[in-house]
Amino acid sequence: MSSDLPEPPLSAFPGGPAREVLDWLYRFVAAIELSPSVAVHSQDRKGVVRFWNHACAELTGIPAAEALGQPFVKLVKHLGAQEEFDDTIAAVWRTGEAVKSREWHVELRDGRRLWLHSSHFPVPGDGKGEDAVRQVFCMEVDVTARKALEESLRQAGQVFDHARDAILVVDREHRVLAANRAYTELTGYTSGEAVGVELPSLRLGVQERAFYDRLRDHLDGHQHWEGELWGMRRDGTTIPIRAALSPITDKNGAVTSYMVMLTDISERRRAVEQARHQAEHDPLTGLPNRILFMDRLEQALATVARKQRQFALMFIDLDHFKAINDTHGHEVGDAVLLEVAHRLRRCVRRVDTVSRLGGDEFVVLLADIGGVDQAAHVADTIMQSVARPVQATVGSLTLSVSIGIAICPSDGDDPKTLLRHADVAMYHAKEAGRSAFQFFSQEMNSRVLERVQVEQRLRRALDKGEFELEYQPEIDIGSGRTVGFEALIRWRDPERGLLMPSAFISAAEESGLIVPIGKWVLFEACQQARRWRDAGFTVAVAVNLSHVQFIHDDLLGDVDEALAASGLAPEFLDLEITEKTIMGGDAATLALVSTLRARGVQLTIDNFGTGFSSLSSLRRFPLSKLKIDRSFIDDIVSEPDGAAMIPAIIALARSLKLKVIAEGVETAEQLQYLRQHGCDEYQGFYAGTGRGAVPTPPPP
């Protein structure tokens, strides 16, 4: 049956119900024939096409005249499911009932392939059995476009889920609509945990919500945004990521959502950092090269200009290094340079910079120094460190360095000038005989060199045993008995004779040598006190502790070691500390004082009255004794009003249950004044005369 239907031959029928029924049936068939969207065809029991509407001809490209009377299987093939299709048609003939509609992938006679949604149903006949069904009709709709869309969506879904980059789809309120598998691998959040959650809560980056609001405002006027963020994983670790955000619009161009692509750039960042490190560091020593050093020098100059600070630039050159290369080869020379670089790093702070400019030339940037003495101390430390023998494959090698020092801003305020002045100073050091350092400023150089020479002589004195102790007796005022001795250090310099502490203690403290010197005093005094004890004299020994020595980490261990080595009971060791140490003390100071007292060691505040100690501060510390400064003792005769402080100090000590000792007692009048006001002990020149004192131990 074609789609061109003639007018219905109804003139032979009179009006009435029969005519109306025939008219309705004819129009129904015409509607099926001319339906523009539904292809309708039928086949008989032999599979021969009996009906083929206009839409069917349009869909298949086969006119009704060519289709009618042809086996349907010759017109349409069901790809991969022909047998299943045949069984479906057979079921309709067999049961006389329609089958569930479904989709078939077919190939037409002209080779085109389509997806058809088909519904098969029987047209009843007049008979029964095999005659119960006259034809099987099929209504089909072309769903090829929809299937293509579904396939496209399926493929897009696979791309989304299997993409190597993490992808999020978020709405305009930052809520996650979808997250792919790579996102879970990148962040540790599953898709189920991420969907519905706002990005700030997921910590996509360490940015605050305001960042996302600014980003959304940016995208409202732009099509894309890219940038690097520090992302945070679920476990709290951070990773560098590259984020790319693009808006998703509807058909009208309105933004409905955003796509966020996240890429882990850790490896790229590491590669960049490695390349940067190689570009900025010396390949042999790993020290910053000239490029990085100049950058840090510029930063130091900016800091000086902003904060009114100063820094030192040191130009260092190995003496006679060419001879090492010429004699032993470059392999040994490289090993020496590596060792020198290692020693230089150990001589400076972490905030300082050590750089190798090339060959055997090094520079050191000492940032934010307190004074030129600090630069001189570092230079001397470097010289001492480099001078230690270097063990190489050819044996032990001895090195020395010449160092030139420029101070910013006094010696220059730009990189070129500072480097030139430090270089000039280094050559002056070489001209002076090498193995030395030289400041660019001659006036400064003379003053600092004097201090450094003192440090060098102090080291020599410590190594060669040039220090000695004198012992000043401490007398009990009531009984006149000698109860202890204060150990007083002296330096018997071969060139300058016997030196008092005022000539060298300050330099020892600034250089840090006070720690080993103080340790020697502690050990020597404990040994002497033990010898007195063995000789039958029950006396204590007092040892002065510098503030630098007191705060040093090794003090407690040194005290324990000195007592153990000498066999001296702790109660016969009296450590004298300054008011400065107590007043500036923190929890660590209190803990150290408490630990020493728990061991039985006595603790005395030396030179009391000059440091303005507060009662609240003193009460915190478990001390043993206060020593009144000699300036108050001098006032007993010369300034009676000033001496009035002595009774107050004694009263304070009594309230704290501390003993009081006065130093610098030189006259009978001073001793009498102290006795009248209840002072416990005294020491000084008057005690040395032996007046009123019981026999003292023999000299050490």
Side-chain angles (χ1 to χ4, degrees):
M1 185 176 195
S2 74
S3 59
D4 298 325
L5 295 177
E7 286 296 322
L10 300 179
S11 57
F13 294 90
R19 184 185 176 93
E20 292 177 1
V21 169
L22 288 174
D23 182 65
W24 181 84
L25 287 175
Y26 190 83
R27 293 181 184 281
F28 176 72
V29 172
I32 294 176
E33 168 66 18
L34 299 175
S35 173
S37 58
V38 181
V40 182
H41 59 85
S42 71
Q43 56 181 285
D44 59 17
R45 187 176 293 276
K46 294 181 179 180
V48 176
V49 174
R50 294 303 181 186
F51 182 78
W52 196 263
N53 76 341
H54 184 77
C56 203
E58 290 287 337
L59 176 66
T60 62
I62 303 173
E66 296 180 18
L68 295 176
Q70 296 294 320
F72 182 68
V73 69
K74 289 186 177 181
L75 305 178
V76 179
K77 296 179 181 179
H78 292 72
L79 297 173
Q82 187 62 50
E83 185 176 351
E84 186 178 357
F85 175 78
D86 294 341
D87 291 342
T88 298
I89 299 301
V92 176
W93 287 106
R94 184 175 65 254
T95 63
E97 297 179 357
V99 295
K100 185 177 180 180
S101 60
R102 58 166 292 182
E103 294 170 354
W104 302 91
H105 194 201
V106 302
E107 183 178 66
L108 304 179
R109 188 178 67 177
D110 59 8
R112 286 184 297 130
R113 294 186 175 187
L114 304 174
W115 278 94
L116 303 176
H117 184 88
S118 304
S119 298
H120 293 86
F121 55 91
V123 175
D126 295 334
K128 295 182 179 181
E130 291 186 354
D131 295 330
V133 177
R134 178 177 297 176
Q135 294 183 47
V136 173
F137 266 75
C138 177
M139 302 178 66
E140 292 182 314
V141 177
D142 185 1
V143 293
T144 304
R146 178 175 62 78
K147 292 293 286 187
L149 178 61
E150 288 178 353
E151 177 62 17
S152 177
L153 291 174
R154 185 188 68 80
Q155 292 178 357
Q158 287 189 341
V159 170
F160 177 80
D161 201 44
H162 292 86
R164 296 182 61 183
D165 291 329
I167 302 176
L168 293 175
V169 178
V170 300
D171 62 19
R172 292 181 58 84
E173 303 303 322
H174 312 305
R175 288 186 295 269
V176 177
L177 302 176
N180 70 346
R181 187 181 308 171
Y183 176 78
T184 299
E185 296 172 355
L186 177 67
T187 66
Y189 292 102
T190 65
S191 175
E193 292 171 321
V195 171
V197 180
E198 290 187 70
L199 287 184
S201 300
L202 281 179
R203 304 302 298 276
L204 168 65
V206 295
Q207 291 72 25
E208 301 296 333
R209 178 183 294 274
F211 168 79
Y212 298 100
D213 292 336
R214 291 194 301 271
L215 187 57
R216 182 177 59 185
D217 293 341
H218 171 84
L219 289 175
D220 283 343
H222 303 79
Q223 291 300 311
H224 189 70
W225 178 88
E226 282 192 54
E228 292 186 4
L229 309 169
W230 279 101
M232 183 173 289
R233 299 183 193 269
R234 184 176 183 176
D235 60 8
T237 59
T238 57
I239 52 171
I241 57 176
R242 180 77 181 178
L245 285 80
S246 301
I248 301 174
T249 60
D250 60 18
K251 62 181 180 180
N252 297 319
V255 176
T256 60
S257 54
Y258 301 98
M259 182 178 70
V260 184
M261 296 188 67
L262 308 172
T263 305
D264 183 354
I265 58 173
S266 299
E267 289 298 328
R268 186 193 313 168
R269 180 71 64 86
R270 277 191 288 269
V272 170
E273 290 298 326
Q274 182 178 4
R276 179 182 301 169
H277 184 275
Q278 292 174 347
E280 296 179 340
H281 290 78
D282 174 48
L284 175 62
T285 63
L287 294 175
N289 60 14
R290 181 182 292 271
I291 295 174
L292 182 55
F293 178 78
M294 295 302 292
D295 179 69
R296 294 189 179 174
L297 182 55
E298 292 283 1
Q299 294 179 28
L301 286 167
T303 301
V304 166
R306 187 174 63 254
K307 298 184 177 180
Q308 301 298 310
R309 304 289 180 85
Q310 61 180 344
F311 66 83
L313 182 63
M314 307 174 66
F315 205 106
I316 303 171
D317 187 82
L318 293 180
D319 298 328
H320 306 296
F321 179 73
K322 184 175 182 298
I324 295 178
N325 275 336
D326 294 343
T327 305
H328 305 293
H330 288 280
E331 184 176 347
V332 172
D334 287 348
V336 168
L337 291 174
L338 276 170
E339 178 61 23
V340 170
H342 174 68
R343 294 184 185 185
L344 291 178
R345 279 194 294 257
R346 296 186 61 182
C347 291
V348 300
R349 304 163 299 177
R350 296 186 64 181
V351 296
D352 302 325
T353 299
V354 179
S355 171
R356 181 187 178 213
L357 297 185
D360 60 342
E361 293 181 340
F362 297 85
V363 285
V364 174
L365 176 63
L366 298 179
D368 193 15
I369 59 173
V372 294
D373 288 353
Q374 184 177 344
H377 172 65
V378 174
D380 190 58
T381 301
I382 288 174
M383 291 175 58
Q384 297 290 333
S385 178
V386 174
R388 297 198 312 270
V390 176
Q391 301 303 320
T393 55
V394 296
S396 180
L397 300 176
T398 301
L399 305 174
S400 66
V401 291
S402 297
I403 304 175
I405 307 172
I407 304 297
C408 178
S410 59
D411 293 337
D413 57 4
D414 65 90
K416 184 178 180 180
T417 300
L418 285 168
L419 282 170
R420 184 177 70 253
H421 286 175
D423 193 24
V424 168
M426 184 271 293
Y427 277 105
H428 285 169
K430 283 187 176 293
E431 291 174 357
R434 293 185 171 84
S435 188
F437 66 86
Q438 180 88 25
F439 279 86
F440 178 74
S441 169
Q442 293 300 321
E443 178 182 355
M444 183 185 301
N445 187 62
S446 298
R447 183 171 60 85
V448 172
L449 277 180
E450 182 180 354
R451 174 59 59 86
V452 171
Q453 289 170 359
V454 172
E455 291 184 23
Q456 292 174 340
R457 290 199 299 268
L458 282 172
R459 285 193 176 92
R460 182 197 63 193
L462 192 59
D463 292 338
K464 295 187 176 182
E466 296 175 2
F467 294 112
E468 57 188 55
L469 296 181
E470 290 184 0
Y471 295 92
Q472 186 177 79
E474 297 177 340
I475 310 299
D476 180 80
I477 291 180
S479 65
R481 187 173 65 87
T482 301
V483 295
F485 287 88
E486 180 180 1
L488 302 174
I489 188 170
R490 304 289 185 261
W491 177 11
R492 195 167 294 279
D493 189 330
E495 300 174 5
R496 296 181 295 171
L498 190 65
L499 301 178
M500 295 294 105
S502 59
F504 60 88
I505 288 297
S506 177
E509 288 181 331
E510 292 181 6
S511 65
L513 288 173
I514 192 65
V515 174
I517 292 174
K519 182 177 180 179
W520 175 85
V521 172
L522 182 63
F523 274 65
E524 183 66 22
C526 287
Q527 293 285 355
Q528 179 58 55
R530 177 65 195 194
R531 288 193 290 269
W532 282 331
R533 294 281 298 164
D534 293 342
F537 296 97
T538 307
V539 291
V541 65
V543 175
N544 289 282
L545 293 183
S546 163
H547 177 71
V548 175
Q549 186 182 4
F550 185 82
I551 64 176
H552 197 272
D553 293 339
D554 294 338
L555 175 63
L556 193 59
D558 290 344
V559 171
D560 289 340
E561 189 178 347
L563 291 172
S566 64
L568 183 68
E571 58 267 26
F572 293 104
L573 174 61
D574 187 355
L575 298 179
E576 297 190 358
I577 56 180
T578 64
E579 283 186 277
K580 174 185 176 182
T581 300
I582 292 295
M583 291 301 295
D586 52 10
T589 302
L590 177 59
L592 178 57
V593 170
S594 300
T595 301
L596 288 169
R597 291 292 291 126
R599 282 166 162 72
V601 175
Q602 306 299 310
L603 284 168
T604 296
I605 294 186
D606 195 12
N607 303 121
F608 186 79
T610 60
F612 306 101
S613 297
S614 65
L615 179 60
S616 59
S617 297
L618 292 174
R619 293 180 61 182
R620 294 171 54 220
F621 294 90
L623 303 169
S624 309
K625 189 187 302 183
L626 297 183
K627 178 177 285 189
I628 302 174
D629 186 69
R630 67 182 307 128
S631 62
F632 294 102
I633 307 304
D634 292 340
D635 290 341
I636 292 176
V637 177
S638 60
E639 296 287 342
D641 292 339
M645 284 293 297
I646 294 176
I649 293 174
I650 294 174
L652 174 62
R654 291 286 179 265
S655 69
L656 297 173
K657 298 185 168 107
L658 301 177
K659 286 187 176 182
V660 183
I661 182 172
E663 66 176 350
V665 178
E666 299 181 354
T667 68
E669 290 83 1
Q670 292 172 336
L671 178 59
Q672 182 60 26
Y673 185 90
L674 294 170
R675 181 181 288 113
Q676 289 174 352
H677 291 91
C679 184
D680 298 296
E681 302 170 4
Y682 78 97
Q683 64 182 99
F685 175 78
Y686 190 75
T689 64
R691 298 175 185 177
V694 299
T696 60

